[in-house]
Amino acid sequence: MRNILLAILSGLLLAFSFPTMFAGWMAPNLGPLGWVALVPLFVAIADERPRRAFTIAFITGLVCYGISIYWIYN
């Protein structure tokens, strides 16, 4: 469970490192966050088997992608 939470955290940090505009409000520049966004993912997959590491990394990708496509709703 800890690794899944770290994967979700990594996906959130990675998604918010991109420039975004929510409802006309420009979010602050969080680009440098991208340099540390994958650290929780690396900690989560450090001692995992390849199949489990893929699943954890896939969750990170889903979270990041799900947040990054917010503009489709508009």
Side-chain angles (χ1 to χ4, degrees), residues 2 6 9 13 18 21 25 27 32 34 38 41 44 49 56 58 60 63 68 70 73-74:
R2 175 183 154 265
L6 286 172
L9 174 65
L13 293 174
F18 292 101
M21 179 177 283
W25 175 74
L38 293 177
L41 176 63
R49 294 172 311 188
I56 293 169
F58 189 75
T60 298
V63 170
S68 297
Y70 69 91
Y73 180 73
N74 292 332

Side-chain angles (χ1 to χ4, degrees), residues 3-73:
N3 291 344
I4 301 298
L5 292 175
L6 286 172
I8 292 170
L9 174 65
S10 185
L12 288 170
L13 293 174
L14 192 60
F16 287 119
S17 70
F18 292 101
T20 56
M21 179 177 283
F22 295 108
W25 175 74
M26 186 67 175
N29 182 13
L30 299 175
L33 188 61
W35 287 98
V36 296
L38 293 177
V39 171
L41 176 63
F42 294 150
V43 170
I45 65 172
D47 295 325
E48 295 291 339
R49 294 172 311 188
R51 177 175 246 160
R52 178 79 173 150
F54 174 80
T55 304
I56 293 169
F58 189 75
I59 291 169
T60 298
L62 280 178
V63 170
C64 179
Y65 181 72
I67 293 172
S68 297
I69 61 168
Y70 69 91
W71 54 271
I72 291 179
Y73 180 73

